[in-house]
Amino acid sequence: MATGRGAAIGVAPHSQSYPHPLSLSASFPSITTFSLSRRHSFSLSSTKEKKPRVNLLLGSAAEPTTTSSPSSSLQNDATFVSDTEFSLAKVSFGVIGLGVGCTLLSYGFGAYFNILPGSEWSALMLTYGFPLAIIGMALKYAELKPVPCLTYSDAQLLRENCATPILKQVRNDVIRYRYGDEQHLEEALKRIFQYGQGGGIQRRNAPKLKMIREEATEEGKYCLALVFEAKALQLSDFEQRQAKFASFFGPGITAEVGKGEEEGLYEVKLISDTTL
C-alpha cells in the first residue's frame, strides 16, 4: 500500500465533527447489527460492547483524539428508530370486522347445509356474521390509512420533554387509522389554505400529507416535519401561510417551510421552542 499524505489510518471516537466520506467502523462482538444513519455513514455496532472506531481517512491526515460533551452526543445520535409500540389505533377495524363477519357467514352456510359440523349453531353464526361483514365493509370503505413516520433516536429522546401537547397529538392522529375523514389534518388545512375563499385555493388543489418525520435541530430542539404532496401549488403558497401554520399548531412552536426531496413535495417543520 502506498504511504504519504494521500492515506492515513487513525482512531476517531465520537466527536462533534461530521464523519469523513469513507469510514470503516470495526467491532468484534458475537452479535452485531447493521444501521444506517442520516449522515450517510455505514457502521457495525455491537449490542454488548462499544469499541473505538477505526477510520480509514483518504486525502487528509489523521485527526487528533477529542472527547464529546453530553449535548453533542445527543445531536450526533441520528439513527432511525422503528416504531414497535402496539396500539389498537394502529389496527384496522374494517379488516377485523370484515374478516370475522365473512368467517361466520362462511362457516354458518357450511353448517346449515351439513357440509361442516355444528348445524345447531348455523342460525346464530349467520345472524351475527351478516351485520359484522356489512359493518366491516363500511369501515373499510371510510378508512384513512396512517402515514409513515420516520423517527430519529435523538428526536425520540426529546419528544417527551420538549414536544408540545399539540405536536404530540398531531403525531398520534396521523399514525393511526381514521374513519370518515377525507385526509389527514383536514380541518387544519381547510383553515390555513381557506378552500374556495378569497385568497385561498381550490379544494381539489389541497395538499395531502404523505409522511411525517421527527428530528432534532442543530440547536437541540424537537422538530416535527410534515411532508405534503401538492403538485398544483408552489413554494410561495406555503411561504405565504407560514405564520398561519405557526399560529394554528402553536403556541410554543416556530414554523419553517421548504421544498421536499422530490418534485411536488413540500415540508412544513414545526419546531418546539422548549429545550432541555
Side-chain angles (χ1 to χ4, degrees):
M1 176 182 296
T3 61
R5 296 177 60 88
I9 298 179
V11 178
H14 292 291
S15 63
Q16 296 183 1
S17 61
Y18 288 96
H20 285 263
L22 179 61
S23 64
L24 177 64
S25 173
S27 58
F28 307 93
S30 59
I31 302 177
T32 60
T33 58
F34 188 71
S35 61
L36 174 63
S37 70
R38 69 178 169 186
R39 293 180 176 85
H40 308 291
S41 63
F42 293 87
S43 64
L44 290 175
S45 58
S46 170
T47 57
K48 293 183 179 180
E49 179 183 3
K50 293 184 178 178
K51 296 184 178 181
R53 295 182 179 177
V54 180
N55 291 345
L56 180 61
L57 310 179
L58 300 181
S60 62
E63 295 180 356
T65 302
T66 58
T67 58
S68 59
S69 62
S71 59
S72 64
S73 63
L74 178 63
Q75 296 180 7
N76 289 338
D77 189 6
T79 56
F80 285 114
V81 178
S82 58
D83 185 10
T84 58
E85 181 182 358
F86 174 78
S87 174
L88 287 177
K90 300 178 182 179
V91 179
S92 173
F93 290 103
V95 173
I96 295 176
L98 192 59
V100 174
C102 291
T103 300
L104 291 177
L105 283 177
S106 301
Y107 198 95
F109 278 114
Y112 180 80
F113 292 104
N114 294 323
I115 300 176
L116 298 173
S119 58
E120 64 275 9
W121 301 102
S122 61
L124 187 62
M125 287 186 287
L126 291 173
T127 302
Y128 286 99
F130 184 75
L132 282 176
I134 295 298
I135 294 174
M137 286 188 290
L139 290 176
K140 190 65 178 176
Y141 176 79
E143 181 179 88
L144 182 62
K145 295 182 179 180
V147 299
C149 176
L150 297 181
T151 302
Y152 291 106
S153 54
D154 48 4
Q156 187 182 42
L157 298 176
L158 294 173
R159 183 200 304 158
E160 184 64 28
N161 296 323
C162 297
T164 65
I166 293 180
L167 292 183
K168 294 179 182 178
Q169 181 181 352
V170 170
R171 175 188 176 274
N172 294 333
D173 285 345
V174 300
I175 63 173
R176 67 182 180 92
Y177 283 92
R178 300 182 66 88
Y179 303 93
D181 294 339
E182 294 186 6
Q183 62 174 320
H184 291 287
L185 303 179
E186 181 178 3
E187 185 63 28
L189 296 176
K190 180 180 178 181
R191 294 187 180 183
I192 293 174
F193 287 92
Q194 299 177 331
Y195 300 155
Q197 300 181 17
I201 64 174
Q202 297 296 324
R203 189 179 186 89
R204 63 175 179 269
N205 298 331
K208 295 182 179 180
L209 184 67
K210 302 300 292 184
M211 62 169 290
I212 63 174
R213 185 176 66 252
E214 293 181 287
E215 59 189 13
T217 64
E218 296 180 356
E219 294 78 15
K221 296 182 179 181
Y222 175 83
C223 172
L224 181 65
L226 310 177
V227 181
F228 293 98
E229 181 183 27
K231 297 181 179 180
L233 301 180
Q234 303 295 328
L235 179 61
S236 58
D237 296 320
F238 285 85
E239 291 176 341
Q240 293 173 3
R241 297 165 175 85
Q242 180 172 327
K244 291 185 177 181
F245 276 102
S247 61
F248 187 90
F249 293 103
I253 69 159
T254 302
E256 294 183 359
V257 175
K259 279 192 173 183
E261 297 179 353
E262 300 179 5
E263 186 68 24
L265 295 182
Y266 302 93
E267 294 187 2
V268 178
K269 295 184 177 182
L270 307 177
I271 304 173
S272 174
D273 296 335
T274 306
T275 56
L276 291 177

